[in-house]
């Protein structure tokens, strides 16, 4: 809907020296009306490479303030007038749980290929929002990154 300036802080803790298993937390926030999102995650990296390549899977749960969740899944009075959808304001708290699989490869010394797929199941409050078309979200991505 709007442009926002946001920032985030993320911490991860490995179990073991090779970062095969880890837990992490992220907090993301922005301007006053943006709200806050918190993410708790746990992951596993397959293989024994330590150069950032390989396959990794992680599960996560997200929690948000009412401002954050309403921004994404609510319907303001203006939006309701324009769309015919009922005005909807959501409470903060639990937002979703999901799983993501990522594979990173070097194609050349400077070109990286990143493929990812994921699924996220929304909370019952979000599932009932007129904005949410499904009870879940799926995502597939393919990125080519050039490292300078």
């Amino acid at each position: 809907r709007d442009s926002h300036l946001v920032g985030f802080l993320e911490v991860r803790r490995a179990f073991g020296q090779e970062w095969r298993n880890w837990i992490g937390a992220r907090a993301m926030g922005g301007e006053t009306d943006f709200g806050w999102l918190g993410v708790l995650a746990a992951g596993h990296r397959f293989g024994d490479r330590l150069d950032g390549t390989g396959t990794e899977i992680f599960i996560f749960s997200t929690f948000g303030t009412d401002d954050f969740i309403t921004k994404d899944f609510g319907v303001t009075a203006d939006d309701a007038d324009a769309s015919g959808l009922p005005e909807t304001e959501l409470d903060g708290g639990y937002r979703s749980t999901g799983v993501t699989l990522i594979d990173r490869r070097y194609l050349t010394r400077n070109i990286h290929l990143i493929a990812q797929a994921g699924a996220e199941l929304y909370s019952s409050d979000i599932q009932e929002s007129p904005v949410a078309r499904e009870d879940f979200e799926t995502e597939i991505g393919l990125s080519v990154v050039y490292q300078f």
Side-chain angles (χ1 to χ4, degrees), residues 71-87:
K71 174 185 58 64
D72 287 344
F73 296 100
V75 179
T76 65
D78 289 340
D79 290 341
D81 289 341
S83 68
L85 296 173
E87 188 174 343

Side-chain angles (χ1 to χ4, degrees), residues 62-142:
T62 63
F63 306 85
T65 61
D66 55 348
D67 289 337
F68 189 92
I69 294 174
T70 297
K71 174 185 58 64
D72 287 344
F73 296 100
V75 179
T76 65
D78 289 340
D79 290 341
D81 289 341
S83 68
L85 296 173
E87 188 174 343
T88 306
E89 188 169 317
L90 300 166
D91 294 328
Y94 172 69
R95 181 182 179 273
S96 63
T97 295
V99 61
T100 300
L101 179 69
I102 299 175
D103 187 73
R104 298 175 186 93
R105 302 287 170 193
Y106 287 115
L107 296 179
T108 69
R109 182 171 182 234
N110 298 91
I111 299 175
H112 309 242
L113 182 66
I114 304 169
Q116 76 177 52
E120 184 174 4
L121 179 64
Y122 296 131
S123 70
S124 58
D125 286 350
I126 293 173
Q127 291 176 8
E128 294 171 6
S129 166
V131 176
R133 295 181 183 186
E134 300 288 340
D135 296 346
F136 61 92
E137 172 182 317
T138 57
E139 174 180 270
I140 295 175
L142 184 62

